[in-house]
Amino acid sequence: MQNVTYILVFLLGTATAYKNVTKEFVVPLDHFGFQRNETFKIRYIESDEYWNRGNGPIFFYTGNEGQIEEFAKHTGFMWEIAREFEAKIVFAEHRYYGKSMPFGDKSLDNEHIGYLTSAQALADYAQLVNFLQGGKSLKPKYPVIAFGGSYGGMLAAYFRMKYPHLVTGAIAASAPVHMFSDMVPCEVFHRIVTSSFNVASKVCRDNIRQSWNVLRTFVANKTNADWLKKQWNLCVAVNDSKGDVQDLVDYLQTMYETLAMVNYPFATDFLLPLPANPVRSVCQYLSQKLTGQKLLEGIGKVLQVYSNYNGKGDCVDYKNTDYGNLNASGWDYQACTEMVMPMCTNGVDDMFEPRPWNYTQFSEDCHKKYKVYPRPDAAWLEYGGDRLQAASNIIFSNGLLDPWAGGGLLSSISDTIKAVVMIDTAHHLDLMPKNPNDPESVKMARQEHKRNIEQWIRNFRLNNA
Amino acid sequence: MQNVTYILVFLLGTATAYKNVTKEFVVPLDHFGFQRNETFKIRYIESDEYWNRGNGPIFFYTGNEGQIEEFAKHTGFMWEIAREFEAKIVFAEHRYYGKSMPFGDKSLDNEHIGYLTSAQALADYAQLVNFLQGGKSLKPKYPVIAFGGSYGGMLAAYFRMKYPHLVTGAIAASAPVHMFSDMVPCEVFHRIVTSSFNVASKVCRDNIRQSWNVLRTFVANKTNADWLKKQWNLCVAVNDSKGDVQDLVDYLQTMYETLAMVNYPFATDFLLPLPANPVRSVCQYLSQKLTGQKLLEGIGKVLQVYSNYNGKGDCVDYKNTDYGNLNASGWDYQACTEMVMPMCTNGVDDMFEPRPWNYTQFSEDCHKKYKVYPRPDAAWLEYGGDRLQAASNIIFSNGLLDPWAGGGLLSSISDTIKAVVMIDTAHHLDLMPKNPNDPESVKMARQEHKRNIEQWIRNFRLNNA
């Protein structure tokens, strides 16, 4: 299957079209055992438009939790530097996401989902890279640079760590490699969310902190609940007896988290359609101290920006926990198995209702949903957490406005395991298409990425001459 | 379960008894997926007799294909240097060998054997090392040095490569990390076997080379077959129509291979009881040019040394392919799945009947036995073959009399991936107990191992101070 398509990378409403083809690649269901010997196909997007076939590097995006087109579209950095590096571009789709389903539409059922793990995905990528190199040979032909953002950034780093014979270097953007049990305080993520709102407006932050109580008290009354449904454009009115309030609170909390994550200096539809500087944008509705119904009206306006910025006017489906554009329903399973990232709030260092991290509860909830118990130390054991001294050729970049930076590697470990810190950017902005509104920090980060990639390629050529 | 026992390490018939306990450790059946969530116990032998508990290193033997006591008994080097390093000693048993059986005595059945892979075994060891360190912590307490010989040497090297956050360095003795498809000529192993016999006696080698034809012609006659049964002490007479000749030829070929592998300068019962310098010892019976029945009588004497050195007088069970003391029935499965090591003979560079490497046949035979097809590139993909530039702190030692050296790493790759070559030793002699008959080369190798271990421990302490 080879369909030529075009990835549109947007810059201020103007799209650059990058020619590419979508292909499929056969991988084993289980790379690490022989009990089950089925195979299936993962998808990848490939572009040879700029590739110097004899010599040019392969830029390989280690796909994360979502259909691969979304990452291809929003990782403008790779497209934009491909010409200069004469690089082949590959975006590989993570198993169990998008169309890379081992068991078709039954893949996410409990009896089939068990092969959704990072180690299996990395082994898929290893096979694909080997295939792209033209198979096993004494010397690899092309330097391979891994790229990834967020969980994809973790995968890019782990890909280099675990398969250095196949991967020359990795740009791991906003990769929360420390966001595991006992490595960082569980409050850190929401502390940074809160801090992002605080930077936009202290009053905004305080209004949000007050709103939880107001909301809970208010909707206990049926008339109020009906008013809120209309005011907030909710799909269904809050019925306290059905636990709806908690669902709505969770939805709002996710909203603030997401706004902080994608607090970019330009409008984008990454994850969901939002205006430029969305945190500042929504805080305009909460920039004066509000109380009671007025406060709820203000929150309602935030909610409309978040849920309806494209003006399609759908109601707010707060009982649906599907996450934005990624259609990442497998992620909840990964978070319940190997990617256990403890999160908590205390209402003091953050603007949320206090909610301690309760591993026992978490674990039981996971078991209820998936019939498996988490292995909370699995990722640490497999990938080493912060003990990366023996690795090489990885750049960890983080933006300090990004809540995930709380689990990021923020200082260099060695000459070849380097941290790049952008003080005023959100989640992996450095991988996105360049924009006139980009802060200096992200421009410098991209320059630093390019310098490192150049050096890795140079060393590769020296070692494989 | 903690039984205090003593490992007896022999030196010229005198045993040194090292106190130890045998313990069990619970591991998941599948580290890389959640489809099957059973656990089971692997065994390990532990000795704290010399351990400086606050500070001393952990010497960790990555068990290979066999019950762990055999490796503990024959890896005298670890026991002998433990006092000087104030080290804890651990010998971990490989899953599906010895008593580390996930499904009891049904483990090796086709429906249960699929979780027997090197990656799963390494993940077992990673969990065990983490447990020995006292669990996850910001800094590891004890430097961990991995040791292993043969397949265990591959595991020791891979353990450092894949888990450098848990393993400080590795002594990989006689590890055939290149013995995979397209990496070395398939003839190399038997060329070295032949060369070992040639070193002992050129005539011996030529006699063996002639013997195959003589044997095949001779046993076509039933009376001759009966004579041979008696002469060679075979359990059953060779019945040509039942394919017995091929079984006998295979048995003899394995005999010569094994004699070359364990061609140690002292008597030992490693793999099986044999005299010192067994190749020279058996070649005394073939040191003059022999033909016809005389040649078969000579081979018969070799066979008696090989099969009956301890004088127990059991008949030669040439139709049983169980391999010596290791009881390593799982190895055939590993060789049929991920550890595909192409072997061939051509009768010119070696003293065997020509037998080309026929992957298709091999693959079909594996499928017939185990209902799985091999993945011939799996080990290369996962461990990188000879592309080890990004790794560190591994010593690869090889003896040039050892047929496995043909797949070994024989020249240093970097300051920290070093080759130690012993020109006159067989299979991982450097790990065995010291002996007055040891050649200089092995003494020097052991000194080099100790220097490297010291340096790794020093660096570990600097980095984790």
Side-chain angles (χ1 to χ4, degrees), chain A residues 30 32 34-35 111 114 136 162-163 165 181 375 381-382, chain B residues 30 32 34-35 111 114 117 136 162-163 165 181 375 381-382:
Chain A
D30 185 0
F32 304 103
F34 294 83
Q35 204 70 37
E111 58 266 42
K136 194 170 64 180
K162 291 288 189 182
Y163 297 90
H165 53 292
S181 311
R375 298 180 195 157
L381 270 168
E382 193 58 23
Chain B
D30 185 359
F32 304 103
F34 293 83
Q35 205 69 37
E111 57 268 41
T117 66
K136 195 169 64 180
K162 293 288 190 183
Y163 297 89
H165 53 294
S181 310
R375 299 181 193 157
L381 270 168
E382 193 58 22

PDB file of all heavy atoms in Angstrom, chain A residues 30 32 34-35 111 114 136 162-163 165 181 375 381-382, chain B residues 30 32 34-35 111 114 117 136 162-163 165 181 375 381-382:
ATOM      1  N   ASP A  30       4.880 -10.441  19.273  1.00  0.00           N
ATOM      2  CA  ASP A  30       5.725 -10.524  20.472  1.00  0.00           C
ATOM      3  C   ASP A  30       7.187 -10.687  20.057  1.00  0.00           C
ATOM      4  O   ASP A  30       7.573 -11.731  19.548  1.00  0.00           O
ATOM      5  CB  ASP A  30       5.272 -11.714  21.335  1.00  0.00           C
ATOM      6  CG  ASP A  30       6.029 -11.782  22.659  1.00  0.00           C
ATOM      7  OD1 ASP A  30       6.889 -10.905  22.905  1.00  0.00           O
ATOM      8  OD2 ASP A  30       5.756 -12.699  23.452  1.00  0.00           O
ATOM      9  N   PHE A  32       9.679 -10.675  22.141  1.00  0.00           N
ATOM     10  CA  PHE A  32      10.503 -11.189  23.235  1.00  0.00           C
ATOM     11  C   PHE A  32      10.091 -12.584  23.686  1.00  0.00           C
ATOM     12  O   PHE A  32      10.478 -13.038  24.749  1.00  0.00           O
ATOM     13  CB  PHE A  32      10.460 -10.208  24.405  1.00  0.00           C
ATOM     14  CG  PHE A  32      10.895  -8.830  24.009  1.00  0.00           C
ATOM     15  CD1 PHE A  32       9.966  -7.818  23.804  1.00  0.00           C
ATOM     16  CD2 PHE A  32      12.233  -8.566  23.789  1.00  0.00           C
ATOM     17  CE1 PHE A  32      10.372  -6.553  23.413  1.00  0.00           C
ATOM     18  CE2 PHE A  32      12.647  -7.303  23.395  1.00  0.00           C
ATOM     19  CZ  PHE A  32      11.706  -6.291  23.205  1.00  0.00           C
ATOM     20  N   PHE A  34       8.093 -16.541  22.056  1.00  0.00           N
ATOM     21  CA  PHE A  34       7.646 -17.302  20.896  1.00  0.00           C
ATOM     22  C   PHE A  34       6.356 -18.057  21.191  1.00  0.00           C
ATOM     23  O   PHE A  34       6.007 -18.983  20.474  1.00  0.00           O
ATOM     24  CB  PHE A  34       8.756 -18.273  20.466  1.00  0.00           C
ATOM     25  CG  PHE A  34       9.983 -17.563  19.948  1.00  0.00           C
ATOM     26  CD1 PHE A  34      10.938 -17.069  20.812  1.00  0.00           C
ATOM     27  CD2 PHE A  34      10.145 -17.359  18.593  1.00  0.00           C
ATOM     28  CE1 PHE A  34      12.056 -16.385  20.340  1.00  0.00           C
ATOM     29  CE2 PHE A  34      11.262 -16.685  18.108  1.00  0.00           C
ATOM     30  CZ  PHE A  34      12.221 -16.198  18.983  1.00  0.00           C
ATOM     31  N   GLN A  35       5.678 -17.640  22.253  1.00  0.00           N
ATOM     32  CA  GLN A  35       4.439 -18.327  22.584  1.00  0.00           C
ATOM     33  C   GLN A  35       3.368 -17.972  21.560  1.00  0.00           C
ATOM     34  O   GLN A  35       2.571 -18.806  21.182  1.00  0.00           O
ATOM     35  CB  GLN A  35       3.986 -17.909  23.989  1.00  0.00           C
ATOM     36  CG  GLN A  35       3.097 -18.910  24.660  1.00  0.00           C
ATOM     37  CD  GLN A  35       3.859 -20.170  25.057  1.00  0.00           C
ATOM     38  OE1 GLN A  35       5.004 -20.102  25.469  1.00  0.00           O
ATOM     39  NE2 GLN A  35       3.220 -21.322  24.906  1.00  0.00           N
ATOM     40  N   GLU A 111      -8.603  -8.975  26.106  1.00  0.00           N
ATOM     41  CA  GLU A 111      -7.929 -10.217  25.718  1.00  0.00           C
ATOM     42  C   GLU A 111      -6.890 -10.008  24.625  1.00  0.00           C
ATOM     43  O   GLU A 111      -6.195 -10.966  24.250  1.00  0.00           O
ATOM     44  CB  GLU A 111      -8.935 -11.315  25.335  1.00  0.00           C
ATOM     45  CG  GLU A 111      -9.868 -10.963  24.224  1.00  0.00           C
ATOM     46  CD  GLU A 111     -11.189 -10.393  24.762  1.00  0.00           C
ATOM     47  OE1 GLU A 111     -11.158  -9.576  25.716  1.00  0.00           O
ATOM     48  OE2 GLU A 111     -12.234 -10.727  24.225  1.00  0.00           O
ATOM     49  N   GLY A 114      -2.652  -6.843  25.650  1.00  0.00           N
ATOM     50  CA  GLY A 114      -1.462  -7.084  26.471  1.00  0.00           C
ATOM     51  C   GLY A 114      -0.127  -6.869  25.781  1.00  0.00           C
ATOM     52  O   GLY A 114       0.907  -6.773  26.433  1.00  0.00           O
ATOM     53  N   LYS A 136      20.611  -6.245   7.514  1.00  0.00           N
ATOM     54  CA  LYS A 136      21.825  -6.386   8.299  1.00  0.00           C
ATOM     55  C   LYS A 136      23.054  -6.275   7.398  1.00  0.00           C
ATOM     56  O   LYS A 136      23.090  -6.819   6.310  1.00  0.00           O
ATOM     57  CB  LYS A 136      21.790  -7.762   8.951  1.00  0.00           C
ATOM     58  CG  LYS A 136      22.773  -7.963  10.050  1.00  0.00           C
ATOM     59  CD  LYS A 136      22.470  -9.272  10.762  1.00  0.00           C
ATOM     60  CE  LYS A 136      22.637 -10.464   9.859  1.00  0.00           C
ATOM     61  NZ  LYS A 136      22.337 -11.721  10.563  1.00  0.00           N
ATOM     62  N   LYS A 162      18.695   1.741  24.116  1.00  0.00           N
ATOM     63  CA  LYS A 162      18.579   0.286  24.004  1.00  0.00           C
ATOM     64  C   LYS A 162      19.094  -0.252  22.672  1.00  0.00           C
ATOM     65  O   LYS A 162      19.425  -1.424  22.576  1.00  0.00           O
ATOM     66  CB  LYS A 162      17.114  -0.124  24.178  1.00  0.00           C
ATOM     67  CG  LYS A 162      16.570   0.085  25.587  1.00  0.00           C
ATOM     68  CD  LYS A 162      17.153  -0.920  26.578  1.00  0.00           C
ATOM     69  CE  LYS A 162      16.461  -0.852  27.925  1.00  0.00           C
ATOM     70  NZ  LYS A 162      17.033  -1.774  28.911  1.00  0.00           N
ATOM     71  N   TYR A 163      19.108   0.578  21.640  1.00  0.00           N
ATOM     72  CA  TYR A 163      19.529   0.113  20.312  1.00  0.00           C
ATOM     73  C   TYR A 163      20.578   1.051  19.702  1.00  0.00           C
ATOM     74  O   TYR A 163      20.389   1.538  18.589  1.00  0.00           O
ATOM     75  CB  TYR A 163      18.307   0.003  19.385  1.00  0.00           C
ATOM     76  CG  TYR A 163      17.281  -1.015  19.822  1.00  0.00           C
ATOM     77  CD1 TYR A 163      16.231  -0.665  20.661  1.00  0.00           C
ATOM     78  CD2 TYR A 163      17.361  -2.338  19.410  1.00  0.00           C
ATOM     79  CE1 TYR A 163      15.289  -1.603  21.079  1.00  0.00           C
ATOM     80  CE2 TYR A 163      16.426  -3.286  19.817  1.00  0.00           C
ATOM     81  CZ  TYR A 163      15.396  -2.907  20.643  1.00  0.00           C
ATOM     82  OH  TYR A 163      14.471  -3.839  21.049  1.00  0.00           O
ATOM     83  N   HIS A 165      23.216   0.477  18.293  1.00  0.00           N
ATOM     84  CA  HIS A 165      23.754  -0.039  17.029  1.00  0.00           C
ATOM     85  C   HIS A 165      22.856   0.331  15.852  1.00  0.00           C
ATOM     86  O   HIS A 165      23.260   0.192  14.707  1.00  0.00           O
ATOM     87  CB  HIS A 165      23.951  -1.546  17.111  1.00  0.00           C
ATOM     88  CG  HIS A 165      22.732  -2.309  17.548  1.00  0.00           C
ATOM     89  ND1 HIS A 165      22.212  -2.214  18.810  1.00  0.00           N
ATOM     90  CD2 HIS A 165      21.929  -3.179  16.892  1.00  0.00           C
ATOM     91  CE1 HIS A 165      21.146  -3.002  18.914  1.00  0.00           C
ATOM     92  NE2 HIS A 165      20.953  -3.591  17.761  1.00  0.00           N
ATOM     93  N   SER A 181       7.387   6.676  39.974  1.00  0.00           N
ATOM     94  CA  SER A 181       7.322   6.581  41.443  1.00  0.00           C
ATOM     95  C   SER A 181       8.651   6.896  42.114  1.00  0.00           C
ATOM     96  O   SER A 181       9.689   6.389  41.697  1.00  0.00           O
ATOM     97  CB  SER A 181       6.934   5.155  41.868  1.00  0.00           C
ATOM     98  OG  SER A 181       5.820   4.707  41.175  1.00  0.00           O
ATOM     99  N   ARG A 375       2.749  -2.552  37.046  1.00  0.00           N
ATOM    100  CA  ARG A 375       4.089  -2.844  37.556  1.00  0.00           C
ATOM    101  C   ARG A 375       4.793  -1.497  37.703  1.00  0.00           C
ATOM    102  O   ARG A 375       5.416  -1.000  36.759  1.00  0.00           O
ATOM    103  CB  ARG A 375       4.849  -3.743  36.572  1.00  0.00           C
ATOM    104  CG  ARG A 375       4.180  -5.100  36.381  1.00  0.00           C
ATOM    105  CD  ARG A 375       4.928  -5.990  35.411  1.00  0.00           C
ATOM    106  NE  ARG A 375       4.113  -7.118  34.987  1.00  0.00           N
ATOM    107  CZ  ARG A 375       4.301  -7.802  33.856  1.00  0.00           C
ATOM    108  NH1 ARG A 375       5.287  -7.467  33.034  1.00  0.00           N
ATOM    109  NH2 ARG A 375       3.512  -8.802  33.540  1.00  0.00           N
ATOM    110  N   LEU A 381      12.996   0.113  35.870  1.00  0.00           N
ATOM    111  CA  LEU A 381      13.906  -1.028  35.717  1.00  0.00           C
ATOM    112  C   LEU A 381      14.414  -1.143  34.286  1.00  0.00           C
ATOM    113  O   LEU A 381      15.582  -1.404  34.042  1.00  0.00           O
ATOM    114  CB  LEU A 381      13.172  -2.318  36.073  1.00  0.00           C
ATOM    115  CG  LEU A 381      13.245  -2.753  37.523  1.00  0.00           C
ATOM    116  CD1 LEU A 381      12.247  -3.871  37.792  1.00  0.00           C
ATOM    117  CD2 LEU A 381      14.653  -3.234  37.858  1.00  0.00           C
ATOM    118  N   GLU A 382      13.520  -0.954  33.341  1.00  0.00           N
ATOM    119  CA  GLU A 382      13.876  -1.184  31.948  1.00  0.00           C
ATOM    120  C   GLU A 382      14.722  -0.040  31.384  1.00  0.00           C
ATOM    121  O   GLU A 382      15.623  -0.265  30.586  1.00  0.00           O
ATOM    122  CB  GLU A 382      12.593  -1.356  31.130  1.00  0.00           C
ATOM    123  CG  GLU A 382      12.768  -1.897  29.739  1.00  0.00           C
ATOM    124  CD  GLU A 382      13.447  -3.272  29.663  1.00  0.00           C
ATOM    125  OE1 GLU A 382      13.420  -4.021  30.637  1.00  0.00           O
ATOM    126  OE2 GLU A 382      14.032  -3.560  28.597  1.00  0.00           O
TER     127      GLU A 382
ATOM    128  N   ASP B  30       6.217 -12.852  31.842  1.00  0.00           N
ATOM    129  CA  ASP B  30       6.452 -11.994  30.681  1.00  0.00           C
ATOM    130  C   ASP B  30       6.747 -10.569  31.135  1.00  0.00           C
ATOM    131  O   ASP B  30       5.865  -9.883  31.637  1.00  0.00           O
ATOM    132  CB  ASP B  30       5.222 -12.019  29.755  1.00  0.00           C
ATOM    133  CG  ASP B  30       5.451 -11.238  28.468  1.00  0.00           C
ATOM    134  OD1 ASP B  30       6.562 -10.669  28.300  1.00  0.00           O
ATOM    135  OD2 ASP B  30       4.537 -11.186  27.629  1.00  0.00           O
ATOM    136  N   PHE B  32       7.642  -8.141  29.173  1.00  0.00           N
ATOM    137  CA  PHE B  32       7.454  -7.171  28.091  1.00  0.00           C
ATOM    138  C   PHE B  32       6.023  -7.118  27.583  1.00  0.00           C
ATOM    139  O   PHE B  32       5.761  -6.586  26.509  1.00  0.00           O
ATOM    140  CB  PHE B  32       8.416  -7.498  26.951  1.00  0.00           C
ATOM    141  CG  PHE B  32       9.844  -7.543  27.405  1.00  0.00           C
ATOM    142  CD1 PHE B  32      10.502  -8.744  27.610  1.00  0.00           C
ATOM    143  CD2 PHE B  32      10.513  -6.363  27.698  1.00  0.00           C
ATOM    144  CE1 PHE B  32      11.813  -8.777  28.059  1.00  0.00           C
ATOM    145  CE2 PHE B  32      11.823  -6.379  28.156  1.00  0.00           C
ATOM    146  CZ  PHE B  32      12.475  -7.595  28.337  1.00  0.00           C
ATOM    147  N   PHE B  34       1.582  -7.782  29.015  1.00  0.00           N
ATOM    148  CA  PHE B  34       0.672  -7.993  30.139  1.00  0.00           C
ATOM    149  C   PHE B  34      -0.442  -8.971  29.776  1.00  0.00           C
ATOM    150  O   PHE B  34      -1.455  -9.026  30.434  1.00  0.00           O
ATOM    151  CB  PHE B  34       0.092  -6.653  30.587  1.00  0.00           C
ATOM    152  CG  PHE B  34       1.121  -5.731  31.180  1.00  0.00           C
ATOM    153  CD1 PHE B  34       1.934  -4.944  30.360  1.00  0.00           C
ATOM    154  CD2 PHE B  34       1.308  -5.670  32.547  1.00  0.00           C
ATOM    155  CE1 PHE B  34       2.911  -4.107  30.906  1.00  0.00           C
ATOM    156  CE2 PHE B  34       2.270  -4.833  33.089  1.00  0.00           C
ATOM    157  CZ  PHE B  34       3.077  -4.057  32.271  1.00  0.00           C
ATOM    158  N   GLN B  35      -0.223  -9.720  28.697  1.00  0.00           N
ATOM    159  CA  GLN B  35      -1.242 -10.667  28.297  1.00  0.00           C
ATOM    160  C   GLN B  35      -1.290 -11.826  29.286  1.00  0.00           C
ATOM    161  O   GLN B  35      -2.347 -12.336  29.590  1.00  0.00           O
ATOM    162  CB  GLN B  35      -0.930 -11.185  26.889  1.00  0.00           C
ATOM    163  CG  GLN B  35      -2.145 -11.677  26.132  1.00  0.00           C
ATOM    164  CD  GLN B  35      -3.078 -10.548  25.756  1.00  0.00           C
ATOM    165  OE1 GLN B  35      -2.632  -9.457  25.415  1.00  0.00           O
ATOM    166  NE2 GLN B  35      -4.362 -10.794  25.844  1.00  0.00           N
ATOM    167  N   GLU B 111       3.612 -25.947  24.540  1.00  0.00           N
ATOM    168  CA  GLU B 111       2.632 -24.910  24.918  1.00  0.00           C
ATOM    169  C   GLU B 111       3.121 -24.016  26.051  1.00  0.00           C
ATOM    170  O   GLU B 111       2.430 -23.063  26.418  1.00  0.00           O
ATOM    171  CB  GLU B 111       1.261 -25.514  25.235  1.00  0.00           C
ATOM    172  CG  GLU B 111       1.244 -26.561  26.326  1.00  0.00           C
ATOM    173  CD  GLU B 111       1.407 -27.968  25.743  1.00  0.00           C
ATOM    174  OE1 GLU B 111       2.230 -28.172  24.816  1.00  0.00           O
ATOM    175  OE2 GLU B 111       0.729 -28.869  26.224  1.00  0.00           O
ATOM    176  N   GLY B 114       7.510 -20.955  25.281  1.00  0.00           N
ATOM    177  CA  GLY B 114       7.698 -19.717  24.509  1.00  0.00           C
ATOM    178  C   GLY B 114       8.295 -18.536  25.261  1.00  0.00           C
ATOM    179  O   GLY B 114       8.729 -17.565  24.655  1.00  0.00           O
ATOM    180  N   THR B 117      13.526 -16.913  26.529  1.00  0.00           N
ATOM    181  CA  THR B 117      14.323 -16.066  25.631  1.00  0.00           C
ATOM    182  C   THR B 117      15.362 -15.321  26.465  1.00  0.00           C
ATOM    183  O   THR B 117      15.197 -15.147  27.674  1.00  0.00           O
ATOM    184  CB  THR B 117      13.470 -15.015  24.877  1.00  0.00           C
ATOM    185  OG1 THR B 117      12.944 -14.070  25.818  1.00  0.00           O
ATOM    186  CG2 THR B 117      12.331 -15.665  24.103  1.00  0.00           C
ATOM    187  N   LYS B 136      14.693   0.371  44.366  1.00  0.00           N
ATOM    188  CA  LYS B 136      14.975   1.591  43.626  1.00  0.00           C
ATOM    189  C   LYS B 136      15.435   2.690  44.580  1.00  0.00           C
ATOM    190  O   LYS B 136      14.883   2.868  45.648  1.00  0.00           O
ATOM    191  CB  LYS B 136      13.685   2.031  42.941  1.00  0.00           C
ATOM    192  CG  LYS B 136      13.845   3.041  41.862  1.00  0.00           C
ATOM    193  CD  LYS B 136      12.539   3.188  41.101  1.00  0.00           C
ATOM    194  CE  LYS B 136      11.439   3.733  41.996  1.00  0.00           C
ATOM    195  NZ  LYS B 136      10.171   3.874  41.243  1.00  0.00           N
ATOM    196  N   LYS B 162      22.337  -3.484  27.943  1.00  0.00           N
ATOM    197  CA  LYS B 162      20.916  -3.134  28.009  1.00  0.00           C
ATOM    198  C   LYS B 162      20.508  -2.521  29.341  1.00  0.00           C
ATOM    199  O   LYS B 162      19.497  -1.833  29.414  1.00  0.00           O
ATOM    200  CB  LYS B 162      20.056  -4.381  27.753  1.00  0.00           C
ATOM    201  CG  LYS B 162      20.149  -4.934  26.334  1.00  0.00           C
ATOM    202  CD  LYS B 162      19.431  -4.021  25.337  1.00  0.00           C
ATOM    203  CE  LYS B 162      19.296  -4.674  23.976  1.00  0.00           C
ATOM    204  NZ  LYS B 162      18.669  -3.770  22.988  1.00  0.00           N
ATOM    205  N   TYR B 163      21.264  -2.805  30.393  1.00  0.00           N
ATOM    206  CA  TYR B 163      20.908  -2.303  31.725  1.00  0.00           C
ATOM    207  C   TYR B 163      22.104  -1.631  32.397  1.00  0.00           C
ATOM    208  O   TYR B 163      22.469  -1.994  33.512  1.00  0.00           O
ATOM    209  CB  TYR B 163      20.382  -3.453  32.599  1.00  0.00           C
ATOM    210  CG  TYR B 163      19.113  -4.092  32.090  1.00  0.00           C
ATOM    211  CD1 TYR B 163      19.138  -5.165  31.200  1.00  0.00           C
ATOM    212  CD2 TYR B 163      17.868  -3.600  32.481  1.00  0.00           C
ATOM    213  CE1 TYR B 163      17.962  -5.740  30.730  1.00  0.00           C
ATOM    214  CE2 TYR B 163      16.686  -4.173  32.017  1.00  0.00           C
ATOM    215  CZ  TYR B 163      16.748  -5.246  31.146  1.00  0.00           C
ATOM    216  OH  TYR B 163      15.585  -5.813  30.683  1.00  0.00           O
ATOM    217  N   HIS B 165      22.328   1.019  33.897  1.00  0.00           N
ATOM    218  CA  HIS B 165      21.972   1.662  35.164  1.00  0.00           C
ATOM    219  C   HIS B 165      21.978   0.660  36.316  1.00  0.00           C
ATOM    220  O   HIS B 165      21.918   1.060  37.476  1.00  0.00           O
ATOM    221  CB  HIS B 165      20.601   2.339  35.058  1.00  0.00           C
ATOM    222  CG  HIS B 165      19.503   1.433  34.551  1.00  0.00           C
ATOM    223  ND1 HIS B 165      19.499   0.935  33.270  1.00  0.00           N
ATOM    224  CD2 HIS B 165      18.392   0.947  35.132  1.00  0.00           C
ATOM    225  CE1 HIS B 165      18.414   0.183  33.094  1.00  0.00           C
ATOM    226  NE2 HIS B 165      17.737   0.171  34.206  1.00  0.00           N
ATOM    227  N   SER B 181      24.072 -15.306  11.774  1.00  0.00           N
ATOM    228  CA  SER B 181      24.010 -15.296  10.305  1.00  0.00           C
ATOM    229  C   SER B 181      24.758 -14.109   9.704  1.00  0.00           C
ATOM    230  O   SER B 181      24.598 -12.979  10.150  1.00  0.00           O
ATOM    231  CB  SER B 181      22.551 -15.202   9.832  1.00  0.00           C
ATOM    232  OG  SER B 181      21.760 -16.155  10.469  1.00  0.00           O
ATOM    233  N   ARG B 375      13.758 -16.861  14.235  1.00  0.00           N
ATOM    234  CA  ARG B 375      13.915 -15.474  13.779  1.00  0.00           C
ATOM    235  C   ARG B 375      15.423 -15.235  13.705  1.00  0.00           C
ATOM    236  O   ARG B 375      16.047 -14.834  14.694  1.00  0.00           O
ATOM    237  CB  ARG B 375      13.259 -14.505  14.765  1.00  0.00           C
ATOM    238  CG  ARG B 375      11.768 -14.731  14.909  1.00  0.00           C
ATOM    239  CD  ARG B 375      11.122 -13.745  15.874  1.00  0.00           C
ATOM    240  NE  ARG B 375       9.788 -14.176  16.226  1.00  0.00           N
ATOM    241  CZ  ARG B 375       9.144 -13.808  17.346  1.00  0.00           C
ATOM    242  NH1 ARG B 375       9.729 -12.991  18.197  1.00  0.00           N
ATOM    243  NH2 ARG B 375       7.934 -14.249  17.602  1.00  0.00           N
ATOM    244  N   LEU B 381      19.465  -8.020  15.919  1.00  0.00           N
ATOM    245  CA  LEU B 381      18.667  -6.803  16.076  1.00  0.00           C
ATOM    246  C   LEU B 381      18.656  -6.325  17.518  1.00  0.00           C
ATOM    247  O   LEU B 381      18.761  -5.131  17.791  1.00  0.00           O
ATOM    248  CB  LEU B 381      17.222  -7.066  15.656  1.00  0.00           C
ATOM    249  CG  LEU B 381      16.898  -6.819  14.203  1.00  0.00           C
ATOM    250  CD1 LEU B 381      15.532  -7.395  13.857  1.00  0.00           C
ATOM    251  CD2 LEU B 381      16.913  -5.316  13.909  1.00  0.00           C
ATOM    252  N   GLU B 382      18.518  -7.264  18.431  1.00  0.00           N
ATOM    253  CA  GLU B 382      18.352  -6.888  19.829  1.00  0.00           C
ATOM    254  C   GLU B 382      19.686  -6.483  20.462  1.00  0.00           C
ATOM    255  O   GLU B 382      19.728  -5.564  21.274  1.00  0.00           O
ATOM    256  CB  GLU B 382      17.741  -8.074  20.580  1.00  0.00           C
ATOM    257  CG  GLU B 382      17.223  -7.771  21.969  1.00  0.00           C
ATOM    258  CD  GLU B 382      16.164  -6.703  22.035  1.00  0.00           C
ATOM    259  OE1 GLU B 382      15.491  -6.439  21.006  1.00  0.00           O
ATOM    260  OE2 GLU B 382      16.008  -6.092  23.101  1.00  0.00           O
TER     261      GLU B 382
END
